Amino acid sequence: MNTYLVPDGLAGGRVDATLATMTGLSRAKCAELVERGDVLLDGARPKNSTKVGPGSVLEVELPVEEPLVRETPVAGMGVIFEDEDIIVVDKPAGVAAHASQNFEGPNVLGALLASGVRLTTSGPQERQGIVHRLDVGTSGAMVVAKSERAYSGLKHAFRERTVTKVYHALIQGHPDPMSGTVEAPIGRDMRHQWKMGVRADGKHAITHYDVIEAMPGASLVEVHLETGRTHQIRVHMSAIKHPCLGDVMYGADPVQAERLGLERQWLHAVKLGFEHPTTGHYIEFESPYAEDLARALTTVREGYGLP
């Protein structure tokens, strides 16, 4: 048990909120501890809404958790470019940008640390150096900051939308028009917390697309993002009734995905460009299609795998 004496300044607050302030844990985590009976207030089990008094004694059985950042190598994650300030990697599918409570698999940050890459300590400990993210199921070019200057400069560039982000997606059917813009707000799907959707109360999101190759039953599109919302391309392509092949979560045909051997969405970050945070020179990097995507694309081009 860890013991905390409530100072006068926190008197009158709720148990969960006071505990969060004193331990550094999230309020949700503290509420969970209270509900589980792992917290005592002056020797008795309180409710989350119970008010604490000056000089009250809080006793809590703090959870023992492994550190979020696990230094774990990732097979198949190549380095496209590296200098003293940045490292650009070719992220495989199935790898998160950084560790989180909702994903136990490998991540880019842990893989870089495991390989001896020294990153900036700017940002939260579990996201140090991370200035943008790719979905777990999306492969392609991703940059991570190694220096404090790079972290600050790249965060600003992504926030101001001066970064060139180009994706290729293989989508079902043929969109009309062949070049267009999808502007629709994106927010959390309240029925499924792991999923996003077009919502009136969502965040502003703009996606531009151009068909670069039409095939029987499918189109290869180049996508440029003005904004960077979670699952943005997947949500917007689904919203216009042309989901990415293999993206069963957002409406893709599961039978077609199985025929093509796709276990994730056909979506790849092919190009990433920005001004170097130290030199100021514009630099651009490209990533070739991942093997599973290239194989599926060849199959579709040959007229197989589609209904």
Side-chain angles (χ1 to χ4, degrees):
M1 277 284 194
N2 293 266
T3 304
Y4 301 89
L5 185 67
V6 177
D8 292 349
L10 295 180
R14 289 168 52 107
V15 167
D16 52 1
T18 303
L19 196 60
T21 300
M22 300 186 74
T23 64
L25 295 172
S26 69
R27 184 165 174 175
K29 187 65 177 179
C30 291
E32 180 183 323
L33 293 174
V34 172
E35 291 168 0
R36 212 162 57 196
D38 291 339
V39 176
L40 296 178
L41 175 63
D42 295 329
R45 289 182 176 176
K47 295 181 179 179
N48 279 308
S49 58
T50 302
K51 300 295 192 294
V52 301
S56 290
V57 176
L58 277 169
E59 297 174 88
V60 56
E61 192 70 45
L62 292 174
V64 178
E65 298 182 349
E66 295 182 33
L68 273 177
V69 181
R70 298 183 181 90
E71 298 184 12
T72 306
V74 171
M77 190 177 84
V79 175
I80 300 174
F81 174 84
E82 182 179 8
D83 65 10
E84 294 182 352
D85 295 294
I86 63 173
I87 182 167
V88 181
V89 301
D90 203 348
K91 187 187 87 65
V95 178
H98 57 77
S100 72
Q101 298 288 2
N102 300 319
F103 181 72
E104 297 181 355
N107 63 84
V108 170
L109 178 56
L112 291 177
L113 294 175
S115 66
V117 176
R118 297 186 64 181
L119 301 171
T120 174
T121 56
S122 297
Q125 187 263 341
E126 72 276 11
R127 298 197 297 274
Q128 62 190 71
I130 300 296
V131 293
H132 74 123
R133 294 176 293 181
L134 295 179
D135 292 347
V136 171
T138 300
S139 49
M142 177 179 162
V143 62
V144 181
K146 294 177 63 178
S147 69
E148 279 69 23
R149 176 183 293 183
Y151 182 83
S152 176
L154 288 172
K155 287 290 283 186
H156 177 77
F158 276 99
R159 184 168 57 249
E160 296 301 313
R161 304 173 186 173
T162 61
V163 178
T164 300
K165 297 178 287 183
V166 182
Y167 297 78
H168 282 183
L170 188 60
I171 62 175
Q172 290 183 189
H174 306 115
D176 183 16
M178 299 286 273
S179 296
T181 296
V182 183
E183 184 172 357
I186 293 175
R188 186 74 58 183
D189 185 329
M190 303 310 293
R191 298 165 300 176
H192 310 288
Q193 286 299 303
W194 64 90
K195 188 178 178 183
M196 308 300 287
V198 172
R199 294 177 53 89
D201 60 350
K203 294 181 179 179
H204 182 61
I206 300 177
T207 302
H208 305 285
Y209 71 87
D210 294 281
V211 174
I212 54 179
E213 183 179 353
M215 292 154 274
S219 301
L220 182 63
V221 297
E222 182 167 291
V223 179
H224 295 254
L225 296 180
E226 279 197 34
T227 53
R229 308 306 179 199
T230 301
H231 298 182
Q232 179 172 324
I233 296 173
R234 301 167 64 191
V235 170
H236 277 175
M237 292 299 100
S238 177
I240 62 172
K241 311 301 181 185
H242 297 286
C244 299
L245 295 187
D247 198 0
V248 177
M249 178 187 292
Y250 286 104
D253 183 349
V255 174
Q256 184 183 81
E258 185 175 358
R259 288 176 179 171
L260 293 172
L262 286 173
E263 297 181 353
R264 49 109 169 194
Q265 65 270 14
W266 204 113
L267 181 60
H268 189 77
V270 295
K271 188 179 295 183
L272 182 65
F274 48 85
E275 288 187 0
H276 191 284
T278 298
T279 69
H281 296 149
Y282 181 79
I283 50 179
E284 196 168 83
F285 307 97
E286 294 187 3
S287 168
Y289 297 154
E291 184 179 342
D292 60 332
L293 302 188
R295 185 172 56 248
L297 177 58
T298 297
T299 301
V300 174
R301 280 173 173 161
E302 293 174 349
Y304 299 104
L306 298 175

